[in-house]
Amino acid sequence: MKKMNKWVIITILLCLLLPYKAFADAAVGEMIVTLGENLTNEQKNMILSEMKAPNDVEVLTVTNAEEHEYLGDYIASRLIGTKAISSSAITLEEKGTGLKLESKNINWVSDEMYINALATAGVKDATVYVTAPIPVSGTAALTGVIKAYEISADKKIPEDVKQAANEEMVKTAKLGDEIGTEEASALVTKIKEEMAANPPANTEEVREVVESSAKDLGIALNEDQVQSLIDLFNKLKELNIDWNAVGDQLTAAKDKLSNFLESEEGQSFLDKLKEVFSSLIDAIKSLFS
């Protein structure tokens, strides 16, 4: 009887411990897909094929109501629309891999904007694919990616953090309309790097981070743009986000930033900015000559 009790205890302990290890092992490399609820069956099959999703892949549905829930405060309802068609696939990778993302038919939100927003939300070490059957802005896709990550990683992301990530994505995309997509993505990445290195304690220090990051990249911002970024990062600061963890996920965005600054386009942008400042200095000098 004593021997039987010993094995019963061992069996119970194994049942308690093994599922956690098995789940962790199974999660890495497995894909979860989110599909917009208003896709036709033909579109769903086309997207699953495009994603190279296995036949037994877990599929989640994203509704238009969910899209409005997370985007309604930051973008006009008419731009969100009445149909959910954006779709995504997320595959968890080994620890330390960082975030990688590829998109198709997304014409407003860049890959780096997604990566930045996902890192803010706490998404880690994953390969993400975002797509739609027709060209779309891409704002709604973040809702699906986060939803899939919560299930695949068995981690609940706080609602205020989800909201903040969506706000960041929209604000960065809007800033991209004004100063350039690459420039906006690079700036947000740079600000996060600085916040990880030297976390600001108050609003004035947040302003310093924003302004110094823009200066380092040769990006000229007006006061409205500066204030919009201050408001965003003040909000993020209050959420107690681990900026070092965020920075660890931004490898792809940082690589894109470095490549952009070294590219002909990036150098041309910096050269033009220098010309503007040179002309401005000459104009000021002429006032006193």
Side-chain angles (χ1 to χ4, degrees), residues 154-287:
D154 193 26
K155 175 184 177 182
K156 180 65 178 174
I157 296 173
E159 289 300 310
D160 54 356
V161 175
K162 292 180 190 177
Q163 288 284 350
N166 277 279
E167 181 179 358
E168 176 191 324
M169 176 186 65
V170 172
K171 280 194 171 183
T172 308
K174 287 181 177 178
L175 183 61
D177 288 339
E178 298 168 359
I179 68 171
T181 298
E182 300 283 3
E183 289 80 0
S185 298
L187 179 56
V188 170
T189 301
K190 178 69 173 174
I191 291 172
K192 287 183 175 180
E193 282 189 283
E194 295 301 320
M195 290 187 76
N198 298 292
N202 51 50
T203 299
E204 281 308 307
E205 291 186 6
V206 172
R207 175 181 284 275
E208 289 175 12
V209 170
V210 170
E211 292 180 340
S212 64
S213 297
K215 183 179 180 181
D216 288 346
L217 295 176
I219 296 174
L221 299 175
N222 61 40
E223 181 55 31
D224 287 343
Q225 292 163 344
V226 170
Q227 190 59 55
S228 178
L229 288 168
I230 291 172
D231 292 343
L232 171 64
F233 281 96
N234 252 336
K235 179 180 290 187
L236 297 181
K237 180 173 69 67
E238 296 304 318
L239 294 176
N240 295 317
I241 289 171
D242 184 346
W243 292 106
N244 286 309
V246 169
D248 291 342
Q249 300 304 310
L250 298 180
T251 302
K254 291 176 186 176
D255 289 344
K256 187 70 177 288
L257 166 59
S258 298
N259 293 336
F260 170 69
L261 292 176
E262 293 170 2
S263 70
E264 184 177 339
E265 180 188 359
Q267 290 299 313
S268 175
F269 171 74
L270 294 176
D271 289 340
K272 287 179 182 177
L273 198 65
K274 290 175 185 176
E275 290 176 11
V276 170
F277 280 114
S278 178
S279 298
L280 181 61
I281 291 170
D282 288 341
I284 293 172
K285 284 181 179 177
S286 68
L287 291 175

Side-chain angles (χ1 to χ4, degrees), residues 21-275:
K21 186 177 187 303
F23 177 83
D25 291 342
V28 174
E30 287 192 357
M31 176 187 289
I32 289 186
V33 168
T34 69
L35 298 176
E37 71 170 341
N38 298 113
L39 293 170
T40 65
N41 287 332
E42 182 181 358
Q43 289 172 329
K44 290 177 182 177
N45 291 332
M46 179 186 71
I47 286 175
L48 289 171
S49 175
E50 180 185 314
M51 292 174 171
K52 298 181 174 58
N55 292 331
D56 61 347
V57 70
E58 183 172 358
V59 177
L60 308 176
T61 298
V62 176
T63 69
N64 185 246
E66 288 175 303
E67 295 174 350
H68 281 270
E69 177 185 354
Y70 289 109
L71 292 165
D73 290 340
Y74 318 115
I75 191 171
S77 294
R78 61 181 176 78
L79 297 176
I80 303 173
T82 58
K83 294 182 178 181
I85 61 173
S86 295
S87 301
S88 65
I90 184 167
T91 305
L92 291 190
E93 306 293 354
E94 296 289 345
K95 185 177 180 181
T97 303
L99 289 170
K100 299 176 183 177
L101 190 140
E102 182 183 351
S103 61
K104 180 181 178 182
N105 275 338
I106 304 300
N107 58 23
W108 195 44
V109 180
S110 72
D111 292 358
E112 292 69 44
M113 291 177 192
Y114 281 126
I115 290 173
N116 264 302
L118 289 170
T120 294
V123 176
K124 298 179 180 179
D125 303 319
T127 297
V128 180
Y129 184 72
V130 177
T131 189
I134 58 173
V136 295
S137 68
T139 53
L142 188 67
T143 299
V145 178
I146 292 176
K147 185 175 184 178
Y149 178 76
E150 287 184 305
I151 291 177
S152 60
D154 193 26
K155 175 184 177 182
K156 180 65 178 174
I157 296 173
E159 289 300 310
D160 54 356
V161 175
K162 292 180 190 177
Q163 288 284 350
N166 277 279
E167 181 179 358
E168 176 191 324
M169 176 186 65
V170 172
K171 280 194 171 183
T172 308
K174 287 181 177 178
L175 183 61
D177 288 339
E178 298 168 359
I179 68 171
T181 298
E182 300 283 3
E183 289 80 0
S185 298
L187 179 56
V188 170
T189 301
K190 178 69 173 174
I191 291 172
K192 287 183 175 180
E193 282 189 283
E194 295 301 320
M195 290 187 76
N198 298 292
N202 51 50
T203 299
E204 281 308 307
E205 291 186 6
V206 172
R207 175 181 284 275
E208 289 175 12
V209 170
V210 170
E211 292 180 340
S212 64
S213 297
K215 183 179 180 181
D216 288 346
L217 295 176
I219 296 174
L221 299 175
N222 61 40
E223 181 55 31
D224 287 343
Q225 292 163 344
V226 170
Q227 190 59 55
S228 178
L229 288 168
I230 291 172
D231 292 343
L232 171 64
F233 281 96
N234 252 336
K235 179 180 290 187
L236 297 181
K237 180 173 69 67
E238 296 304 318
L239 294 176
N240 295 317
I241 289 171
D242 184 346
W243 292 106
N244 286 309
V246 169
D248 291 342
Q249 300 304 310
L250 298 180
T251 302
K254 291 176 186 176
D255 289 344
K256 187 70 177 288
L257 166 59
S258 298
N259 293 336
F260 170 69
L261 292 176
E262 293 170 2
S263 70
E264 184 177 339
E265 180 188 359
Q267 290 299 313
S268 175
F269 171 74
L270 294 176
D271 289 340
K272 287 179 182 177
L273 198 65
K274 290 175 185 176
E275 290 176 11

Side-chain angles (χ1 to χ4, degrees), residues 10-21:
I10 291 173
T11 302
I12 292 172
L13 288 173
L14 287 173
C15 288
L16 288 171
L17 294 173
L18 287 178
Y20 289 94
K21 186 177 187 303

